[in-house]
Amino acid sequence: MKNVWKPGDARPSRTRAFGWLAQRFTGAGLVLFLAMHFWVQHMPTGFLATAEEYLDITSELAAAEPGFAEAIAEGKIKQALPGEHVITFRKVQQRLANPLWKFIDVMLLLFAVMHGMNGLNNVLEDYVHQPMHRVIVRVSCWTAALLLSAQGVVSILAVGNWF
Amino acid sequence: MQGNSKSSDSLKDSPSFWNFLATVFSYRLWPGMAAWLLHRLTGLFLVLYLALHIMGLRSLADPASFEIYVTTYRNPLFKVAEVLLLGTVAFHAFNGTRIMLQDLFFRSEMHKPLFYAVVGLTAAVTLAGGFPILAPYIAQLLP
């Protein structure tokens, strides 16, 4: 079981080596990007609204749009607890108005999808041995990666009125 | 990675769900195997979460649906899940860093201490990051 090509293995070993290296590369990038993502979106920093700011934002929006007032009345939009920090559309919009943040978020997305789908493919190839089934698994992973990347990139670029 | 030979010898060879479970539980979980298994399971869970998370980003198209989406995720149960998600990511990141360092930079003989360091760092990050997330919800429960 040295590094030899087997009939069940449709990919040449150089491609597999590239996949191995890419998993290390994207993994290292994700450690940095995800730490930043978590700091920005989950920790009580200025990137999130405080309870008072969230009250201001939601009441302002409710006054401007009837849809918001309805959602608040139905309890679909709830006020923040004392001391809670909430992600809100306006804060995300302000952050993503900066092209550098847009770039960082798009890179995070692409790295995460690449790493995730390559990892999923690696796990499945440990259990799927028939050449044809392996091709199906690989094509499915790539398709999912492309669709998720497209969906995510469009979502990120749309915030801050680029479209 | 050694199986507990006593119980695995007594298993029948027929493939069934119960034999699968019996095999899983007959293994003794050594740190090396725990690291491999946990990396794999956390990885699979994170791919699933990533897909759901990216679908959720569609709500960014409209401020009202984004606020509704975020309110759903502020349910106390989701807040606990958020802390568990942090733990999952932290484990995968620290264990992945350990694998990368050993693959690319050095061959350490201290496999077990390094894995225990990963577990310790994961616990530390989960507690440090989880506290500010849950603090307002805990404060609400207190009289």
Side-chain angles (χ1 to χ4, degrees):
Chain A
M1 293 289 274
K2 285 271 166 56
N3 190 17
V4 270
W5 187 85
K6 298 183 295 296
D9 182 2
R11 287 188 297 174
S13 56
R14 196 179 290 167
T15 317
R16 310 196 115 230
F18 176 76
W20 178 87
L21 191 64
Q23 201 69 348
R24 265 76 189 157
F25 185 72
T26 51
L30 277 175
V31 172
L32 297 175
F33 285 135
L34 267 182
M36 201 193 293
H37 181 67
F38 189 81
W39 179 255
V40 163
Q41 303 287 36
H42 298 262
M43 288 291 106
T45 58
F47 293 103
L48 302 185
T50 61
E52 296 79 28
E53 282 177 321
Y54 195 61
L55 184 61
D56 287 348
I57 290 172
T58 46
S59 39
E60 208 178 295
L61 289 168
E65 246 189 87
F68 260 99
E70 266 174 49
I72 293 168
E74 287 169 18
K76 284 179 182 168
I77 297 175
K78 283 206 180 89
Q79 286 308 324
L81 300 173
E84 192 186 7
H85 287 67
V86 185
I87 307 172
T88 174
F89 185 79
R90 189 177 294 174
K91 289 274 179 177
V92 176
Q93 199 177 25
Q94 280 168 2
R95 184 169 62 83
L96 288 182
N98 183 344
L100 181 63
W101 269 117
K102 270 206 158 122
F103 175 74
I104 291 172
D105 276 9
V106 169
M107 290 304 282
L108 166 65
L109 174 86
L110 295 180
F111 270 47
V113 171
M114 282 271 289
H115 190 86
M117 286 304 159
N118 194 27
L120 181 63
N121 185 48
N122 289 344
V123 170
L124 290 175
E125 287 203 11
D126 275 358
Y127 305 101
V128 176
H129 299 295
Q130 285 195 36
M132 201 53 216
H133 292 176
R134 282 178 163 230
V135 171
I136 292 170
V137 162
R138 208 173 316 130
V139 170
S140 309
C141 285
W142 270 104
T143 312
L146 285 174
L147 290 176
L148 285 174
S149 302
Q151 163 85 81
V153 169
V154 167
S155 302
I156 293 169
L157 292 186
V159 181
N161 307 321
W162 277 29
F163 287 127
Chain B
M1 298 240 189
Q2 312 284 296
N4 185 338
S5 55
K6 216 179 187 181
S7 50
S8 45
D9 281 348
S10 65
L11 291 174
K12 285 167 192 159
D13 287 322
S14 64
S16 79
F17 179 69
W18 296 112
N19 270 349
F20 165 76
L21 279 188
T23 311
V24 167
F25 286 109
S26 73
Y27 283 123
R28 285 175 65 186
L29 206 58
W30 296 102
M33 189 185 184
W36 177 85
L37 193 64
L38 281 174
H39 200 73
R40 192 152 267 217
L41 290 178
T42 53
L44 285 173
F45 171 76
L46 288 173
V47 182
L48 183 68
Y49 175 75
L50 179 69
L52 293 173
H53 186 40
I54 293 173
M55 311 276 216
L57 287 182
R58 277 190 294 183
S59 65
L60 276 169
D62 161 49
S65 44
F66 187 76
E67 302 302 348
I68 291 168
Y69 174 67
V70 165
T71 298
T72 313
Y73 275 66
R74 280 172 49 226
N75 180 308
L77 283 175
F78 278 95
K79 284 285 157 182
V80 174
E82 190 179 331
V83 178
L84 293 177
L85 178 71
L86 170 65
T88 311
V89 172
F91 177 82
H92 200 82
F94 285 127
N95 197 46
T97 308
R98 178 186 68 83
I99 293 169
M100 239 186 294
L101 289 175
Q102 287 185 344
D103 274 0
L104 296 171
F105 297 108
F106 64 88
R107 283 260 163 222
S108 171
E109 297 304 315
M110 301 195 301
H111 293 293
K112 283 185 190 177
L114 280 171
F115 176 65
Y116 296 142
V118 164
V119 174
L121 282 170
T122 303
V125 165
T126 310
L127 290 175
F131 178 71
I133 293 173
L134 288 180
Y137 289 82
I138 295 168
Q140 201 195 22
L141 292 177
L142 299 176

